[in-house]
Amino acid sequence: MNRWWVRPLVRTVAAVFLPVAVPLLLTLLLWALPGDPASIVCPPEACTGTEELAKRWNLDQGPMHYFASWVSSALSGDLGNSWRMQTGTPVRELVNESIPNTLKLIGLALVPILLGTVLAAVDVVNRKLDPILHLLGLFPAVILAVMAAAWKVLTYSEFGGETAALLLGAAVLGLADGAFSGAVTGTRSVASAERRQRYTGVGVLRGETELANILPNITPALAGQLRARTLHLFSGAVVVEVVLKIDGLGDLLWQAALLQDFGLVLPVATVFAVFSAILLLGQALVEGVVAVWIRWSPPGSTATVGGAS
Amino acid sequence: MVSSWLYRDCGRCLLTRRWPAVVVSGLLFSVLLVLAVMAPEFLSEPNLGLTEHGPGAVPPFGADDRGRPLWEFAAQGARVVALPSVVAGVLVGLFAAVGGLVRSMELRWADSLIQAFGEVVGALPRMVVVLIVALLLPRDWRGLFPLAVVWALLAAPGAMDEAAAVAERLGGARFVEALRAHGYSMWRIFVVHVVAFNLRPVIVRQAAEVTMQVVFLEISLSYLATANGDPSFTHADSVRSWADILHLGYRALAFDAPFMHALFLGLGLVALVAGTTIGISRAARAR
């Protein structure tokens, strides 16, 4: 794609549609599966009065009616009520209680990832440490979370409650499944490829720093990597929150999925879609700003070369 | 002298040659398959009178809190993950091959389609999608297989992207044209030279990694269910998975329960899968 604005534009469009597309797709899927939706959510062997339930859950008038009424309520701030997990409780309350914990967890987990990215970009991580990093990255989140949960139980008295769970969870997320090692190696591979380019060498000969030269070119790629890693953190947060008993969105989604509470799964999935959309917008913004910056750069480099010579 | 030979020559041989990786990964994978094949349909009857649960009392891996041998847990767990994880790996490998071939043929419309597919599929956290699929699946369809296929679909864009990048570095359509000028058949160009010779390391590594990820996904989903005493999304209630072994290990760590042998077994099984993945990836790497 030669036009610089195509990718940011595609991401922006995707970001706008994602929070609508996810609940629509979920609703259509529920209707596309064999059997009527109420029976899928609550099978006849577990629930009686399926028709009554379908009416109560607004499942009796087809997918588009359900989707339209859910979206119109959601736009006015009403995400509906929990069907089975905490029957009748407004989902908004449950979601509002969960979001801060998940955001804290993800924010803390991003610290080692950002640290790894910065250290690798300035090329201060010794390559001899790579085997250790790779080994550390092999551990799946569930294993580290189990260890962390056990440690939390053992030290509960002196290292208290929710803060400990959040810190341990963030450490697990930041290290497991190659999060930290991937940040280091991924950034280094992008940066070292750019360092080998001829323009970087010319820039250094002009007395400029390597980083200042490669930064505009590696920033979009790094923004893409960071978005992928943040999404990965959201994915791992489900496991970590359940194992470490953190009342976050992931834990809420797990409980809702376990109890087949579609009334809760739909809004929680939409909230995840909103976060994904924000990340997409962020990436589009970075790509756009960098592209504009590069194109608007004055021909100062020529002047510098002339001045230096 | 001998130590210097071991260090210099044998060490170099292990690092540079592919056969040690082939042998090691083959052996590890065989262990997994043998466990899966040997898995009993039902666990042994509980032996509540058992006072010692370690490997010494119930060889080779010890027993759980109800006196049932842990090797049966390990074998049943291997059976749960073996087929779905391998199928997911093969699927991702096929997707990666398609991604590389499309780039080497320079089919721009297909390339754009793949990129759009990647943007959409990669926009949501994988575990969230898997949980939603698990929720929506009818009870009769529940199991690891559909979840593994979904995971493979979610992993496919990354694999296709990487394979496409390799094909592009290779020269894309110019590479194909050069081989065509030599009079090679289409089969030989695309299947032998592009896929088997050049894309092989990426395809095999991606496939092996997704196989491992599916095993870890099963362990995660089963552990979350086991820890809360709920039924698992991935297997029948009568079957045990590796997550049950790890949960015993957790009790040993946190509450000093006498099941440290379970923790070692659980970690050993995880290492077995990770070792197989690393071995296969190294075995398939470019010369």
Side-chain angles (χ1 to χ4, degrees):
Chain A
M1 287 184 204
N2 294 326
R3 295 192 177 96
W4 65 267
W5 46 266
V6 172
R7 274 180 183 271
L9 185 69
V10 169
R11 288 193 215 287
T12 308
V13 172
V16 170
F17 282 104
L18 198 62
V20 184
V22 167
L24 177 65
L25 195 69
L26 278 179
T27 309
L28 293 177
L29 264 175
L30 187 62
W31 260 268
L33 290 166
D36 67 292
S39 304
I40 292 170
V41 174
C42 201
E45 60 266 26
C47 300
T48 51
T50 312
E51 281 180 20
E52 181 59 35
L53 286 174
K55 207 170 177 182
R56 193 194 303 165
W57 292 337
N58 204 12
L59 297 170
D60 57 339
Q61 293 179 62
M64 291 327 287
H65 172 79
Y66 176 82
F67 176 71
S69 58
W70 186 82
V71 168
S72 62
S73 307
L75 287 175
S76 61
D78 177 16
L79 296 173
N81 293 337
S82 166
W83 293 358
R84 299 183 69 183
M85 200 180 107
Q86 292 183 33
T87 312
T89 309
V91 171
R92 192 178 159 177
E93 276 179 24
L94 299 171
V95 168
N96 282 348
E97 283 169 18
S98 308
I99 286 178
N101 285 334
T102 298
L103 288 183
K104 277 184 216 164
L105 183 68
I106 301 294
L108 288 169
L110 273 171
V111 172
I113 290 176
L114 288 173
L115 190 71
T117 303
V118 171
L119 292 178
V122 295
D123 206 17
V124 294
V125 183
N126 195 327
R127 280 166 200 262
K128 285 181 183 166
L129 293 175
D130 280 5
I132 298 171
L133 287 178
H134 285 306
L135 192 69
L136 203 63
L138 276 176
F139 282 96
V142 69
I143 299 287
L144 291 187
V146 167
M147 305 278 186
W151 193 66
K152 184 172 159 255
V153 169
L154 287 173
T155 58
Y156 193 81
S157 50
E158 65 259 35
F159 186 43
E162 279 184 21
T163 315
L166 275 174
L167 288 173
L168 285 172
V172 167
L173 277 179
L175 293 176
D177 295 320
F180 179 72
S181 60
V184 172
T185 52
T187 307
R188 194 166 54 199
S189 112
V190 171
S192 65
E194 211 58 34
R195 279 197 174 90
R196 284 196 297 270
Q197 298 290 324
R198 190 177 291 175
Y199 78 88
T200 313
V202 172
V204 171
L205 287 175
R206 280 199 307 248
E208 296 162 7
T209 61
E210 258 186 358
L211 193 62
N213 270 278
I214 66 170
L215 202 57
N217 287 336
I218 65 170
T219 303
L222 294 187
Q225 284 192 12
L226 192 62
R227 179 173 78 89
R229 288 189 211 295
T230 313
L231 272 180
H232 192 72
L233 292 183
F234 274 109
S235 187
V238 177
V239 175
V240 167
E241 283 177 2
V242 178
V243 174
L244 288 168
K245 301 192 190 316
I246 298 168
D247 295 328
L249 274 178
D251 185 49
L252 196 62
L253 181 69
W254 169 258
Q255 304 296 345
L258 213 56
L259 292 169
Q260 295 196 291
D261 190 339
F262 190 75
L264 190 49
V265 167
L266 188 72
V268 173
T270 308
V271 173
F272 273 111
V274 170
F275 285 135
S276 297
I278 293 169
L279 291 173
L280 269 172
L281 278 178
Q283 190 183 353
L285 188 71
V286 169
E287 282 176 342
V289 166
V290 169
V292 170
W293 178 30
I294 289 172
R295 277 158 185 81
W296 279 3
S297 285
S301 49
T302 322
T304 317
V305 171
S309 61
Chain B
M1 189 77 172
V2 174
S3 65
S4 121
W5 174 83
L6 272 176
Y7 179 76
R8 200 183 307 148
D9 295 344
C10 197
R12 189 181 298 153
C13 144
L14 283 173
L15 284 175
T16 55
R17 299 205 175 180
R18 279 186 293 195
W19 64 262
V22 173
V23 171
V24 171
S25 56
L27 278 174
L28 294 177
F29 193 61
S30 308
V31 171
L32 189 71
L33 287 183
V34 167
L35 270 176
V37 169
M38 284 171 57
E41 199 169 341
F42 299 103
L43 292 176
S44 303
E45 287 298 311
N47 180 4
L48 299 173
L50 205 68
T51 50
E52 188 65 43
H53 297 87
V58 185
F61 300 126
D64 76 334
D65 52 351
R66 304 181 72 190
R68 294 169 299 190
L70 282 184
W71 85 263
E72 292 179 359
F73 285 58
Q76 285 196 338
R79 179 175 283 182
V80 169
V81 296
L83 188 63
S85 61
V86 170
V87 169
V90 170
L91 264 179
V92 167
L94 288 175
F95 273 115
V98 169
L101 286 174
V102 164
R103 186 63 62 88
S104 61
M105 289 175 186
E106 288 197 1
L107 299 173
R108 287 189 190 281
W109 61 270
D111 220 9
S112 306
L113 208 66
I114 288 171
Q115 281 183 9
F117 169 68
E119 285 293 335
V120 174
V121 169
L124 276 176
R126 286 185 197 175
M127 192 60 112
V128 173
V129 180
V130 164
L131 282 183
I132 290 167
V133 171
L135 159 87
L136 290 175
L137 275 178
R139 277 175 191 266
D140 304 344
W141 296 6
R142 280 199 176 176
L144 183 59
F145 206 91
L147 303 181
V149 171
V150 169
W151 191 271
L153 285 176
L154 295 172
M160 292 170 95
D161 206 33
E162 196 180 337
V166 171
E168 197 170 301
R169 278 203 296 275
L170 200 62
R174 276 179 296 144
F175 176 72
V176 174
E177 259 178 51
L179 293 183
R180 205 179 279 166
H182 278 81
Y184 291 175
S185 66
M186 297 304 265
W187 171 268
R188 190 166 170 192
I189 293 171
F190 287 113
V191 177
V192 178
H193 284 273
V194 176
V195 174
F197 288 170
N198 289 289
L199 295 181
R200 187 198 62 240
V202 176
I203 292 173
V204 173
R205 184 173 53 73
Q206 290 282 357
E209 280 180 5
V210 168
T211 304
M212 178 178 78
Q213 286 167 7
V214 169
V215 175
F216 291 167
L217 172 74
E218 197 287 323
I219 295 175
S220 304
L221 290 176
S222 290
Y223 188 89
L224 300 189
T226 305
N228 294 317
D230 295 312
S232 175
F233 290 124
T234 58
H235 56 80
D237 292 344
S238 59
V239 174
R240 290 286 177 268
S241 100
W242 292 353
D244 294 280
I245 300 172
L246 282 168
H247 192 244
L248 276 174
Y250 164 73
R251 285 167 57 190
L253 270 182
F255 306 112
D256 262 346
F259 304 118
M260 203 47 106
H261 56 281
L263 183 68
F264 289 124
L265 175 61
L267 292 178
L269 291 168
V270 169
L272 174 82
V273 175
T276 310
T277 302
I278 295 170
I280 292 174
S281 303
R282 288 189 76 84
R285 74 186 189 278
R287 283 177 197 277

